[in-house]
Amino acid sequence: MNIGVFCGSQCGNNAIYRQTTVELGQLMVEQGHTLVYGGGSIGLMGILADEMLRLKGKVIGVIPEFFNMDAVGHKGISEMIFVKDMSERKTKMSTISDAFIALPGGLGTLDEFFEMAAFSQLHLHEKPVGLLNINNYYFHQIEQLKTFVHEGFLTEQHFNLLLFASSPVEMLEKIQKFSYHQDMIWVKKIKNKLETK
């Protein structure tokens, strides 16, 4: 399975983020998964890629051409795909990945996670999308999603398409068991509205 992982270009202030990222890389190699990620050599991105490469795992990077490869891009990965911008990067990662996991990160990580979540809601893909809630990092984001449901801006069905886990083991188990189910009548109504605009 190709797993798209979104994560920070920083390492964070708590060693648990590094440790858990290493653990995820180890489990992905053990289970025969390929990493699809942003192509960076720094932050949690670099830690994850380095650990998988150390264990002879396969790593595919997708990086915008405007990034300085000498400073940011990883030079040792299995394959590097160059794209023109951040939007094309997300599209490419969406196309070649079978599942998505967001590790702790900042604005870019949340942007990537929520775009994949929205695509799932709109039935543009049927792939699992998960938040790896290391050290309760995503507590407030998960609570906000629950508020969306409570206030009527997100259906419970669409909320339930998202996966939440506190450890890599739990997340990979949930991905393996994931089955896409949603009300296709709702999706058809949305698509019809979009097409008539």
Side-chain angles (χ1 to χ4, degrees), residues 23-33 55:
E23 182 185 346
L24 176 62
Q26 292 169 349
L27 286 169
M28 285 178 63
V29 174
E30 285 174 19
Q31 296 179 17
H33 301 306
L55 297 171

Side-chain angles (χ1 to χ4, degrees), residues 4-32:
V5 179
F6 308 125
C7 53
S9 58
Q10 305 293 325
C11 293
N13 297 327
N14 190 322
I16 194 170
Y17 301 127
R18 288 173 171 265
Q19 294 163 4
T20 309
T21 299
V22 167
E23 182 185 346
L24 176 62
Q26 292 169 349
L27 286 169
M28 285 178 63
V29 174
E30 285 174 19
Q31 296 179 17

Side-chain angles (χ1 to χ4, degrees), residues 7 15 22 31 38-39 51-52 69 74 77 80 88 98 103 108 120 137 145 147 159 164 171 177-178 189 194:
C7 53
V22 167
Q31 296 179 17
E51 183 62 15
M52 291 195 64
M69 279 297 296
H74 202 298
I77 61 177
M80 184 71 85
E88 189 176 328
D98 303 304
L103 294 177
S120 176
Y137 181 79
L145 287 164
T147 298
F159 175 82
F164 307 109
M171 179 58 74
K177 295 176 182 176
F178 178 80
K189 286 180 180 179
L194 292 172

Side-chain angles (χ1 to χ4, degrees), residues 117-126 155 157-158 161 180-195:
F119 284 1
S120 176
Q121 177 182 342
L122 293 170
H123 199 246
L124 298 176
H125 70 69
E126 297 184 358
T155 68
Q157 182 186 45
H158 293 141
L161 287 173
Y180 186 93
H181 294 289
Q182 75 154 302
D183 180 2
M184 293 308 298
I185 294 174
W186 183 91
V187 175
K188 287 175 182 176
K189 286 180 180 179
I190 293 293
K191 286 186 176 179
N192 287 339
K193 285 182 179 179
L194 292 172
E195 288 169 2

Side-chain angles (χ1 to χ4, degrees), residues 76-146:
I77 61 177
S78 313
E79 179 182 356
M80 184 71 85
I81 299 170
F82 292 94
V83 294
K84 64 179 181 180
D85 55 33
M86 302 296 278
S87 179
E88 189 176 328
R89 175 203 248 177
K90 287 184 289 185
T91 300
K92 187 65 177 180
M93 290 183 71
S94 174
T95 301
I96 64 177
S97 299
D98 303 304
F100 307 97
I101 299 172
L103 294 177
L107 295 176
T109 300
L110 282 177
D111 169 58
E112 291 161 333
F113 166 77
F114 278 114
E115 182 158 318
M116 294 307 109
F119 284 1
S120 176
Q121 177 182 342
L122 293 170
H123 199 246
L124 298 176
H125 70 69
E126 297 184 358
K127 304 171 184 181
V129 180
L131 272 182
L132 189 49
N133 191 26
I134 302 168
N135 196 38
N136 226 13
Y137 181 79
Y138 283 118
F139 171 81
H140 295 290
Q141 282 74 28
I142 295 169
E143 289 302 305
Q144 183 62 56
L145 287 164
K146 291 177 181 177

